[in-house]
Amino acid sequence: MNIKELSSLKVLENNFGTSTGLTWFASGPKIDSFSPTNGEYIGSVFSTTKEEYEEVIAKAKETQLFWRDIPAPKRGEIIRLLGERLRKEKESLGKLVSYEMGKSYQEGLGEVQEMIDICDFAVGLSRQLYGNTIHSERPGHRMYDQYHPLGVVGIITAFNFPVAVWAWNAALALVCGDVIIWKPSEKTPLCAIACQNIISEILKENNLPEGISSVVTGDAEVGKWIAEDERISLVSATGSTRMGKQVAETVARRLGKSLLELGGNNAIVVTPSADLKMTIIGAVFGAVGTAGQRCTSTRRLIVHENVYDKVKESLVEAYKQIKIGDPLDSNNHMGPLIDRVAVSMYLDALEKVKQQGGNILVEGKVLEGKGYESGCYVTPVIAEVENHYEIVQHETFAPILYLIKYTGEVQNAIDLQNSVKQGLSSAIMTTNLREAELFLSQNGSDCGIANVNIGTSGAEIGGAFGGEKETGGGRESGSDAWKAYMRRQTNTINYTANLPLAQGIKFDL
């Protein structure tokens, strides 16, 4: 496969640049994209220069004044058209995601489906950007709150979900009356170009101006421009905790708003009453899916001593069945890591596991030979460890599953789960109602996502997505996450001929 096979997305040439919506331009250093599936060169994107970035932001600011005055349901109509276009392009865009990022084709299709789902959600939302009516303590007064567009939203996304996370932000921000500037990962730039081509076509067909949706390409320096820019009202950043801390500090210094979706160190608690067949399926998909490169990937399996040996035996047997290879081949369960830097981090983590006393149950290695020429294919690992090991306390973006034994009550397992700095996704496998409810209570999981009898990986767009602690505290996608993209305003209307003051204060002249 090569990029020309993706012609339905109009990604035909090897020179791509910055888009302000309809016009492409850029003259900075070239970013080459290589597929981790076979190591082949796909195409190149020119980076955005500072001068070109200034043009993009100026156009976005100008266009936002126009876009915010379009009624929200009319903005929703544009997102409806985006969802329809994505349905038509699902197969080819899913294939591009799989080829450039390395996840399985089924997961690539699933990622595009997430884009379609959030468009559907946003269309309905466009008629429900509601506030609240509040009873006033003063007679003849009415109070209410309402929401207005923020302005320009900067979106910084990671390589592992190269299109879906943009859509989560873009669909909501655009419906809310904001315009967007997207800085995609330099590891998956062509996925961003493809998405921008799709939305640009829709904007052009509906006679809408440039600047509603823009892409700026480049390395971390471009992300820094966005974080520092006072003209950008909200910076939504997805990536590592290290990156998120830098963005948060920079944005906070200018008293801006940030929405952060950062690292995860997700655990499944397995109690004595768990359905072990469900447990194994959930744990294996959570640990191996996307080659362990999801923020919600299962990193730790915390298993009660009564079922520990049985779970261990079943896991090892299941791992023997994992097929690794070209992610576009639907017979394979796992594709490659994103690049050789990720492979080095994987190998380094395995060394640390051994140095800190872990027992490797399923050995890890880099695969070589026919079909593995990219050097990015590795085998999934299972390691018996103690939760306090330094390596276990950190997120490794690779298919490494830590097996941890707990004894006694389920609260002991919950405490182990909560004892890491990250707080994104969590799950418990149990058929005991009391254990399930405890896990979901204030004394249970401290994560933003807590599941019962499903794994840590795979969230629906209807619920708010995000986590606590070093995961950043942000919420994207469903529920009332849309409020992050708007500014709140409280209004009081006096419809009497008098001016009573609040709290009964008298001020007579």
Side-chain angles (χ1 to χ4, degrees):
M1 166 171 290
N2 57 58
I3 198 66
K4 292 186 178 180
E5 293 181 56
L6 302 158
S7 57
S8 64
L9 291 171
K10 298 187 178 179
V11 187
L12 294 172
E13 300 177 357
N14 287 339
N15 295 313
F16 306 103
T18 301
S19 172
T20 61
L22 305 178
T23 305
W24 296 99
F25 65 95
S27 58
K30 195 168 65 167
I31 301 173
D32 296 328
S33 178
F34 294 88
S35 174
T37 67
N38 54 20
E40 290 186 4
Y41 170 75
I42 309 175
S44 300
V45 173
F46 288 110
S47 299
T48 306
T49 66
K50 191 65 165 71
E51 293 73 21
E52 290 158 354
Y53 170 83
E54 289 297 326
E55 290 185 52
V56 171
I57 189 70
K59 191 65 179 177
K61 286 290 289 183
E62 174 189 331
T63 304
Q64 199 272 327
L65 301 178
F66 162 83
W67 183 245
R68 71 184 184 185
D69 285 339
I70 294 177
K74 298 294 184 183
R75 300 193 295 256
E77 172 63 11
I78 300 301
I79 301 304
R80 186 189 69 79
L81 294 173
L82 174 60
E84 290 301 311
R85 193 67 53 86
L86 288 169
R87 284 177 169 86
K88 294 178 182 178
E89 301 287 7
K90 180 177 178 179
E91 182 178 332
S92 52
L93 184 54
K95 190 174 292 185
L96 174 60
V97 169
S98 178
Y99 189 56
E100 188 175 33
M101 184 270 150
K103 63 175 59 177
S104 74
Y105 181 44
Q106 286 301 312
E107 290 184 81
L109 292 174
E111 185 168 347
V112 181
Q113 186 61 49
E114 283 192 47
M115 302 174 77
I116 294 166
D117 292 345
I118 196 64
C119 286
D120 288 350
F121 179 90
V123 172
L125 178 65
S126 69
R127 295 180 182 272
Q128 299 184 71
L129 299 174
Y130 51 84
N132 296 301
T133 299
I134 305 153
H135 288 276
S136 173
E137 67 182 53
R138 290 167 284 184
H141 285 59
R142 179 166 69 89
M143 291 177 62
Y144 67 95
D145 58 23
Q146 62 177 328
Y147 291 83
H148 298 296
L150 276 178
V152 180
V153 172
I155 304 170
I156 301 172
T157 59
F159 74 86
N160 60 330
F161 279 83
V163 297
V165 174
W166 168 75
W168 290 359
N169 286 275
L172 297 192
L174 291 174
V175 157
C176 288
D178 304 317
V179 299
I180 54 175
I181 296 176
W182 180 17
K183 190 273 175 196
S185 169
E186 58 269 38
K187 297 182 180 182
T188 50
L190 299 182
C191 286
I193 301 306
C195 291
Q196 184 63 23
N197 279 341
I198 292 171
I199 195 169
S200 292
E201 273 193 356
I202 293 167
L203 297 173
K204 186 176 182 179
E205 290 165 2
N206 287 272
N207 299 312
L208 290 168
E210 297 181 354
I212 292 174
S213 175
S214 307
V215 172
V216 289
T217 48
D219 57 16
E221 184 67 16
V222 179
K224 185 180 178 183
W225 297 342
I226 290 173
E228 292 176 342
D229 199 329
E230 294 183 354
R231 295 166 293 182
I232 294 182
S233 302
L234 171 69
V235 178
S236 177
T238 302
S240 69
T241 296
R242 178 188 58 79
M243 179 277 291
K245 286 180 177 180
Q246 293 172 346
V247 169
E249 182 179 351
T250 302
V251 176
R253 197 178 298 121
R254 62 177 175 85
L255 296 180
K257 299 178 185 294
S258 60
L259 192 166
L260 303 174
E261 297 292 351
L262 311 176
N265 194 349
N266 317 295
I268 298 176
V269 171
V270 184
T271 73
S273 71
D275 181 320
L276 295 189
K277 182 178 180 180
M278 289 174 56
T279 297
I280 298 303
I281 293 172
V284 173
F285 175 74
V288 170
T290 323
Q293 296 173 114
R294 292 186 178 212
C295 52
T296 55
S297 290
T298 304
R299 310 288 178 202
R300 297 175 295 146
L301 201 61
I302 304 173
V303 186
H304 193 273
E305 60 179 347
N306 288 357
V307 291
Y308 183 86
D309 289 339
K310 191 168 185 179
V311 168
K312 179 171 70 172
E313 179 183 339
S314 298
L315 274 175
V316 171
E317 197 61 35
Y319 268 50
K320 293 177 182 178
Q321 303 172 48
I322 299 297
K323 295 177 182 177
I324 305 165
D326 182 354
L328 290 170
D329 182 345
S330 60
N331 291 315
N332 292 323
H333 300 102
M334 193 178 104
L337 293 176
I338 185 63
D339 54 26
R340 295 191 180 189
V341 174
V343 172
S344 295
M345 294 174 65
Y346 158 88
L347 293 173
D348 182 60
L350 295 185
E351 280 302 309
K352 290 181 178 177
V353 169
K354 295 173 184 175
Q355 292 169 7
Q356 293 168 25
N359 174 36
I360 306 292
L361 292 172
V362 176
E363 289 284 348
K365 63 180 179 180
V366 181
L367 295 175
E368 300 176 343
K370 185 174 174 57
Y372 304 126
E373 291 86 354
S374 68
C376 298
Y377 290 88
V378 301
T379 59
V381 175
I382 303 174
E384 290 182 294
V385 298
E386 297 291 336
N387 194 70
H388 65 267
Y389 290 178
E390 189 268 342
I391 186 61
V392 178
Q393 292 289 307
H394 297 281
E395 178 186 46
T396 300
F397 235 47
I400 302 174
L401 179 63
Y402 297 124
L403 197 56
I404 300 164
K405 183 187 294 185
Y406 84 93
T407 59
E409 299 299 319
V410 70
Q411 187 66 58
N412 297 334
I414 294 172
D415 292 343
L416 287 173
Q417 180 209 276
N418 293 347
S419 67
V420 296
K421 292 183 179 181
Q422 308 83 4
L424 178 53
S425 187
S426 59
I428 188 170
M429 294 293 186
T430 181
T431 55
N432 183 308
L433 178 63
R434 291 177 178 175
E435 290 177 337
E437 289 294 338
L438 174 62
F439 188 76
L440 303 178
S441 75
Q442 68 273 14
N443 298 315
S445 170
D446 64 1
C447 295
I449 299 169
N451 299 325
V452 176
N453 291 329
I454 62 171
T456 62
S457 190
E460 298 181 31
I461 63 92
F465 180 89
E468 301 300 321
K469 302 187 292 189
E470 286 196 351
T471 302
R475 293 296 186 276
E476 293 176 324
S477 195
S479 187
D480 65 349
W482 61 270
K483 293 180 180 179
Y485 303 89
M486 306 196 82
R487 61 180 177 88
R488 187 179 200 142
Q489 185 180 77
T490 300
N491 308 115
T492 306
I493 300 170
N494 178 5
Y495 55 90
T496 73
N498 302 311
L499 189 62
L501 302 177
Q503 293 83 49
I505 294 173
K506 301 295 182 181
F507 189 77
D508 297 324
L509 295 176

